[in-house]
Amino acid sequence: MAKHKIFSMSFKSVYPHYVAKAERKGRSKAEVDQIICWLTGYSETGLAHALDAEVNFEEFFDEAPALNADRHLIKGVVCGVRVEEIEDALMREIRYLDKLIDELAKGKAMEKILRKAP
């Protein structure tokens, strides 16, 4: 099976788009970072190092310290595909992140984005 082109893209090249999407809707870079750290287990310092190292998406998720055990609670559609039905594990992780950033941009409360009980 051919690898998706996004797998080899550097995470750093896409990260500014996540931040811009959030900021256009009045949200912050800090909130984007909080989401990424929640999903992947990276600390703020670890995230900064991954960005500086220009790792690709595959490396970014492979090297994630602790993928959040509650990420399976992320449901919905991204790019016309239900994230919970994506078979490729790496693509599902990428789409989980996309979905969380979409929720942030749509004004959803951070507690709900991070799947915390009220």
Side-chain angles (χ1 to χ4, degrees):
M1 180 197 300
K3 284 194 170 194
H4 291 277
K5 184 178 178 182
I6 194 168
F7 293 0
S8 61
M9 291 177 64
S10 77
F11 184 77
K12 183 178 183 173
S13 70
V14 178
Y15 175 78
H17 298 284
Y18 292 143
V19 173
K21 182 174 190 171
E23 289 179 340
R24 278 193 307 270
K25 299 294 184 168
R27 304 305 287 259
S28 69
K29 175 185 174 296
E31 289 173 307
V32 171
D33 291 353
Q34 183 180 359
I35 287 169
I36 294 169
C37 292
W38 175 87
L39 181 65
T40 62
Y42 281 103
S43 64
E44 289 181 31
T45 303
L47 175 57
H49 286 173
L51 290 167
D52 288 344
E54 297 192 31
V55 297
N56 63 35
F57 271 92
E58 188 168 21
E59 294 163 333
F60 182 77
F61 282 102
D62 282 349
E63 296 170 8
L67 292 173
N68 193 296
D70 289 336
R71 69 192 188 285
H72 71 279
L73 299 173
I74 302 167
K75 310 268 190 230
V77 177
V78 174
C79 299
V81 177
R82 295 205 67 76
V83 294
E84 61 271 25
E85 296 175 0
I86 297 172
E87 290 186 23
D88 183 277
L90 178 55
M91 183 56 76
R92 188 173 48 249
E93 300 301 337
I94 293 167
R95 294 304 183 200
Y96 280 157
L97 179 54
D98 291 343
K99 181 66 178 165
L100 295 176
I101 299 299
D102 284 352
E103 291 176 357
L104 180 68
K106 290 178 180 173
K108 199 169 189 180
M110 193 60 99
E111 295 77 31
K112 293 206 181 278
I113 295 170
L114 302 183
R115 306 320 197 244
K116 293 181 181 176

